[in-house]
Amino acid sequence: MEASFDFGMIGIGVMGSNLLLNMADRGYAVIGFDLKQERADALEAAAPAGTTVKGVVDVVAMVQGLKKPRKIMMLVPAGKPVDSVIENLLPHVEKGDIVIDGGNSFFKDTLQRITYLQDKGIHFFGMGVSGGEMGARFGPSMMPGGDKEAYQYLKPILEAIAAKAEGVPCVAYMGAGAAGHYVKMVHNGIEYAMMQLIAEAYDLLYRGSGFTNEQLHQTFFGWNAGQLQSYLLEVTTEVFKTGDDATEAQGDYLLDKILDKAGSKGTGKWTSQLAMDLPAPIPTIDMAVALRNISVYKEQRVQAAALYKPVTGKITVNDILLADLENALAFCFVIAYAQGLSQLAKASDELAMDIPLPAVIQVWKAGCIIRSALLGNFTEAYAKDAKLPNLLLDAGIAEVLQNREASLRKVLALGIGAKIPLGCMSSALAYYDAYCSERLPTNLIQAQRDYFGAHTYQRIDKEGVFHTEWQGEQK
Ligand code: 6PG
């Protein structure tokens, strides 16, 4: 086959096919490989008139059909499948070719693959892709990381297909090594936190005060038109008004029939684990992961609910409380982003990834799951200091938080009184209160550590490292 194609894809399920069709719409000749003939056929059948789209079941044909340096992306499940694809490709690719892993791979696996392929002269990119099927077809948000020189070959294609926020593509070079997968992982950690925060607001209104799905729809619809405007709120608004097709009963809502157990594929957990390693404190993301895990213990929760008193409080909702809840949610969203971004800042330094935080914000502005109006505020903050270690240190963000802090305290008090678990919201406030405290009670922890383990401590009035024989020193 003549080498006439611009881009190759391994794995042409819905995501892979949609990305190729998106490229084809922009004038690129694309070729997709899959072991299943029906998928190759389906890809060609879906190609709009006038585009160049080919589906093959022979990986060698795909590789030979590509212009050099070859640009090959794989969209296969994270883990072993990625390594198998690499091994299958290796005999056919050559020095200078570019291989992209567009899945949610663990960043340490990506680092190993980069090193392994570097020796063979192949550029390996870990690229986070967000936005699901529709995003892939009409504009995803993409987070590529890897060899900076090689990125020049990917840039035009990726920019052409990416979502645009005010005309600017939501794709950018995210840094060296596995930075692309690291950024996507943290994106997902923030996604977990925002989803849990929204769920807590729902819980407060639904179980805490008996809001109907219709009232929830109206409330969230209103919020999505204001400061909370975001993809996740938009989705939530739609969920509240979706009926249940599976039942005959009029007025049944699907949401009420869904089992309250949520699984996960690991990216939220990795965000927490790697944050602990750095260390970077991200308690709101940690709590979101933990609360998903609690949800899994359904049977034990049922037993415990029978043993302990269920929700007793009834919260009276009025417009003032709704405004407080809206402000509380905005506060917590900012904290969730701030935690994730502070992790990126720290990881970027520790792992020499050189992640450009202003570009991360730009990439998250459209196409991805955590896109929201709040990101505009972050652009302003990073315009003042591109290396800001924590958004909370920016005066503009401080104003946003200070104006909403009282609302969150009121909402939390109500939730505690009514036995509605607001774990993520509480953790956001605790993080804020701790981060903004010049003096923490950690002096006592240091004293305890030194008392029982001679771990030593530093003093505020003189330099050095000290140890006290505490039992002999009591006044
Ligand atoms: C996206 C999403 C997507 C998915 C994650 C999390 O950006 O399109 O982040 O990648 O949401 O895989 O999935 P789990 O909730 O199953 O962990």
Side-chain angles (χ1 to χ4, degrees), residues 104 129-132 184 187-188 191-192 195 263-268 292 368-369:
N104 278 326
V129 181
S130 182
K184 176 58 170 40
H187 163 285
N188 283 20
E191 172 187 308
Y192 274 49
M195 291 169 76
S264 53
K265 293 187 204 70
T267 44
R292 264 202 209 186
C368 76
I369 307 295

Side-chain angles (χ1 to χ4, degrees), residues 119-269:
D119 294 345
K120 297 166 173 48
I122 312 293
H123 302 294
F124 188 73
F125 274 75
M127 181 165 86
V129 181
S130 182
E133 295 167 20
M134 294 309 278
R137 182 69 184 88
F138 300 109
S141 157
M142 289 170 290
M143 294 149 248
D147 185 275
K148 199 169 188 177
E149 292 295 304
Y151 183 63
Q152 62 174 304
Y153 298 107
L154 301 177
K155 193 171 182 256
I157 304 184
L158 297 181
E159 288 190 351
I161 64 163
K164 309 286 182 301
E166 289 163 4
V168 185
C170 291
V171 63
Y173 177 70
M174 294 282 100
H181 277 152
Y182 202 102
V183 171
K184 176 58 170 40
M185 176 193 74
V186 171
H187 163 285
N188 283 20
I190 296 170
E191 172 187 308
Y192 274 49
M194 290 176 75
M195 291 169 76
Q196 175 63 32
L197 288 163
I198 293 171
E200 290 176 7
Y202 158 62
D203 207 13
L204 196 85
L205 293 175
Y206 181 69
R207 281 200 303 156
S209 92
F211 255 45
T212 63
N213 285 297
E214 181 52 34
Q215 285 174 305
L216 287 160
H217 169 73
Q218 294 298 340
T219 305
F220 279 69
F221 186 82
W223 287 350
N224 194 40
Q227 57 176 328
L228 291 173
Q229 197 285 313
S230 57
Y231 174 71
L232 282 169
L233 228 66
E234 193 183 310
V235 167
T236 310
T237 304
E238 293 290 306
V239 167
F240 287 134
K241 66 169 192 189
T242 303
D244 181 14
D245 288 344
T247 67
E248 295 292 311
Q250 284 286 314
D252 273 5
Y253 286 91
L254 180 56
L255 179 61
D256 300 333
K257 305 288 169 58
I258 296 178
L259 185 66
D260 52 341
K261 263 169 90 168
S264 53
K265 293 187 204 70
T267 44
K269 178 186 74 178

Side-chain angles (χ1 to χ4, degrees), residues 127-426:
M127 181 165 86
V129 181
S130 182
E133 295 167 20
M134 294 309 278
R137 182 69 184 88
F138 300 109
S141 157
M142 289 170 290
M143 294 149 248
D147 185 275
K148 199 169 188 177
E149 292 295 304
Y151 183 63
Q152 62 174 304
Y153 298 107
L154 301 177
K155 193 171 182 256
I157 304 184
L158 297 181
E159 288 190 351
I161 64 163
K164 309 286 182 301
E166 289 163 4
V168 185
C170 291
V171 63
Y173 177 70
M174 294 282 100
H181 277 152
Y182 202 102
V183 171
K184 176 58 170 40
M185 176 193 74
V186 171
H187 163 285
N188 283 20
I190 296 170
E191 172 187 308
Y192 274 49
M194 290 176 75
M195 291 169 76
Q196 175 63 32
L197 288 163
I198 293 171
E200 290 176 7
Y202 158 62
D203 207 13
L204 196 85
L205 293 175
Y206 181 69
R207 281 200 303 156
S209 92
F211 255 45
T212 63
N213 285 297
E214 181 52 34
Q215 285 174 305
L216 287 160
H217 169 73
Q218 294 298 340
T219 305
F220 279 69
F221 186 82
W223 287 350
N224 194 40
Q227 57 176 328
L228 291 173
Q229 197 285 313
S230 57
Y231 174 71
L232 282 169
L233 228 66
E234 193 183 310
V235 167
T236 310
T237 304
E238 293 290 306
V239 167
F240 287 134
K241 66 169 192 189
T242 303
D244 181 14
D245 288 344
T247 67
E248 295 292 311
Q250 284 286 314
D252 273 5
Y253 286 91
L254 180 56
L255 179 61
D256 300 333
K257 305 288 169 58
I258 296 178
L259 185 66
D260 52 341
K261 263 169 90 168
S264 53
K265 293 187 204 70
T267 44
K269 178 186 74 178
W270 297 337
T271 309
S272 283
Q273 288 174 326
L274 293 170
M276 295 275 175
D277 289 343
L278 280 168
I282 57 160
T284 307
I285 294 172
D286 300 338
M287 186 55 103
V289 175
L291 286 167
R292 264 202 209 186
N293 291 342
I294 290 185
S295 84
V296 172
Y297 289 84
K298 174 75 177 179
E299 283 177 20
Q300 289 183 30
R301 287 193 288 114
V302 170
Q303 277 179 38
L307 191 58
Y308 297 86
K309 294 279 171 283
V311 174
T312 51
K314 273 282 168 259
I315 298 169
T316 310
V317 175
N318 55 25
D319 287 348
I320 297 172
L321 178 62
L322 286 179
D324 278 330
L325 190 51
E326 180 185 4
N327 281 327
L329 210 44
F331 179 106
C332 295
F333 277 3
V334 172
I335 295 286
Y337 284 114
Q339 290 178 9
L341 288 160
S342 70
Q343 177 174 355
L344 284 183
K346 179 87 174 158
S348 178
D349 281 353
E350 294 289 319
L351 304 165
M353 293 189 285
D354 211 7
I355 297 172
L357 294 178
V360 172
I361 300 299
Q362 169 58 33
V363 167
W364 289 351
K365 276 191 176 162
C368 76
I369 307 295
I370 64 169
R371 61 187 187 255
S372 80
L374 285 166
L375 291 165
N377 298 56
F378 308 159
T379 297
E380 285 173 31
Y382 287 113
K384 284 179 250 163
D385 178 2
K387 294 248 179 244
L388 196 63
N390 192 315
L391 275 176
L392 267 61
L393 295 175
D394 176 74
I397 299 298
E399 203 181 316
V400 171
L401 291 172
Q402 281 167 324
N403 288 340
R404 288 158 182 80
E405 181 187 329
S407 292
L408 178 57
R409 291 187 198 278
K410 277 207 271 184
V411 164
L412 284 175
L414 285 173
I416 289 166
K419 283 199 174 195
I420 301 292
L422 303 176
C424 265
M425 287 194 194
S426 314

